């Protein structure tokens, strides 16, 4: 249990740091977002493959259709989330994205037959009630592009998380095997990312491949992107898709705290802090805690010996 908590907490902290640092670099230096992300994926993937060492799993991961499907889902999710940020702030996107908690619960119920505990539904209701005020304030309400794009993003994210949980290459307890699998997923995602760019713009000749961009992206890819994915897959394996997605509701809170610190230190010039959004985020977190508590209670009731 302690290992699961530590791995999951490390995954969320790593993703939060990655998001905050990437925003600082993109805002301050004006790096091309596509090139920055592409180099991150490549650097993180190559590093993890090198750490994992040579092995049959490395090639098998590239041969499995599920690895490519996972890559497609991650590319689609990244593209959709980026499109959402055109319409709302990062913290507002985090509030909207909390819909993944009830979505993954329903998906697990339908796909794996794991019915949510009775009190979980109350937690899911609290989450949806917390999201509702933000939705109604957006132009067009539920028909707003941000809401539609976020729902599509969460479908991809939930599907990818479920696939990663059951992926045969993620089942091994050997760190080297998981490193090779994660590296393969990152490189597949990078390849699909490149293919999408070529289809859209005909190539990458217009990108300014300057030194600061290359060095920054490689360092962030090795130090944060690769470890974030590695810890995510490990966490998903340890605690399951539902609990990992619940942990992700902490991302906007930690991310905003890091962004405010960056603003305070003068690393970025604009703060996107909104008190009303913080209140909605608090509601989302409260609902998530109810969901997690209900699951823990249900598990304890199942394992306690009958009296």
């Amino acid at each position: 249990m302690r290992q699961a908590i530590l791995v999951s907490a490390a995954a969320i902290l790593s993703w939060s740091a990655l998001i905050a640092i990437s925003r600082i670099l993109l805002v301050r230096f004006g790096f091309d977002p596509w090139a920055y992300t592409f180099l991150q994926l490549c650097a993180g993937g190559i590093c993890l493959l090198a750490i994992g060492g040579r092995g049959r799993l490395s090639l098998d991961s590239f041969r499995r259709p599920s690895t490519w499907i996972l890559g497609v889902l991650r590319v689609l999710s990244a593209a959709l989330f980026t499109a959402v940020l055109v319409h709302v702030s990062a913290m507002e996107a985090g509030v909207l994205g909390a819909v993944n908690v009830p979505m993954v619960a329903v998906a697990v119920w339908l796909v794996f037959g794991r019915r949510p505990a009775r009190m979980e539904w109350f937690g899911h209701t609290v989450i949806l009630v917390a999201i509702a005020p933000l939705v109604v304030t957006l132009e067009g309400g539920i028909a707003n592009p941000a809401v539609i794009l976020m729902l599509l993003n969460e479908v991809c994210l939930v599907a990818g998380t479920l696939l990663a949980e059951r992926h045969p290459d993620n089942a091994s307890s050997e760190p080297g095997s998981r490193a090779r699998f994660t590296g393969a997923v990152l490189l597949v995602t990078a390849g699909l990312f490149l293919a999408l760019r070529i289809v859209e713009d005909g190539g990458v000749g217009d990108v300014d491949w300057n030194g600061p961009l290359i060095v920054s992206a490689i360092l962030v890819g090795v130090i944060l992107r690769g470890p974030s994915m590695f810890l995510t897959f490990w966490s998903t394996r340890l605690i399951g898709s539902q609990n990992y997605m619940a942990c992700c509701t902490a991302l906007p809170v930690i991310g905003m705290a890091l962004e405010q610190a960056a603003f305070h230190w003068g690393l970025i010039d604009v703060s996107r802090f909104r008190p009303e959004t913080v209140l909605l985020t608090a509601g989302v977190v409260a609902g998530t805690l109810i969901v997690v508590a209900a699951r823990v209670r249900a598990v304890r009731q199942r394992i306690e010996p009958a009296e």
Side-chain angles (χ1 to χ4, degrees), residues 108-233:
V108 167
W109 184 14
L110 294 176
V111 176
F112 302 138
R114 300 203 299 256
R115 186 185 181 117
R118 185 176 302 173
M119 276 301 294
E120 276 190 57
W121 295 115
F122 176 64
H124 294 312
T125 301
V126 172
I127 292 172
L128 294 176
V129 169
I131 296 172
L134 176 58
V135 173
V136 298
T137 59
L138 297 174
E139 183 180 353
I142 199 169
N144 185 278
V147 178
I148 297 172
L149 290 168
M150 182 58 79
L151 287 173
L152 293 174
N153 168 66
E154 295 308 325
V155 168
C156 293
L157 196 59
V158 168
T161 305
L162 292 175
L163 181 58
E165 179 184 350
R166 293 304 179 95
H167 197 290
D169 293 346
N170 196 31
S172 175
S173 59
E174 181 195 354
S177 296
R178 184 167 288 107
R180 292 193 294 271
F181 163 59
T182 308
V185 171
L186 286 171
L187 289 180
V188 165
T189 305
L192 294 170
F193 215 57
L194 176 60
L196 184 62
R197 174 67 177 241
I198 293 173
V199 170
E200 287 183 340
D201 299 332
V204 296
D206 58 337
V207 175
D208 180 14
W209 300 97
N210 57 75
L213 164 65
I214 295 172
V215 172
S216 299
I218 290 176
L219 287 176
V220 173
V222 171
I223 297 172
L224 289 173
R225 173 71 72 167
S228 295
M229 283 298 300
F230 178 86
L231 291 167
T232 292
F233 288 149

Side-chain angles (χ1 to χ4, degrees), residues 1-11 173 175 178 231 234-235 237-239:
M1 176 64 72
R2 178 177 296 180
Q3 182 190 57
I5 293 173
L6 291 175
V7 170
S8 302
S173 59
R178 184 167 288 107
L231 291 167
W234 192 3
S235 174
R237 183 64 185 174
L238 290 174
I239 66 175

Side-chain angles (χ1 to χ4, degrees), residues 66-90:
S66 52
T67 301
W68 290 85
I69 294 172
L70 190 53
V72 170
L73 290 171
R74 294 205 64 83
V75 170
L76 288 174
S77 177
L80 289 165
F81 188 78
T82 301
V84 168
L85 294 179
V86 173
H87 303 278
V88 296
S89 70

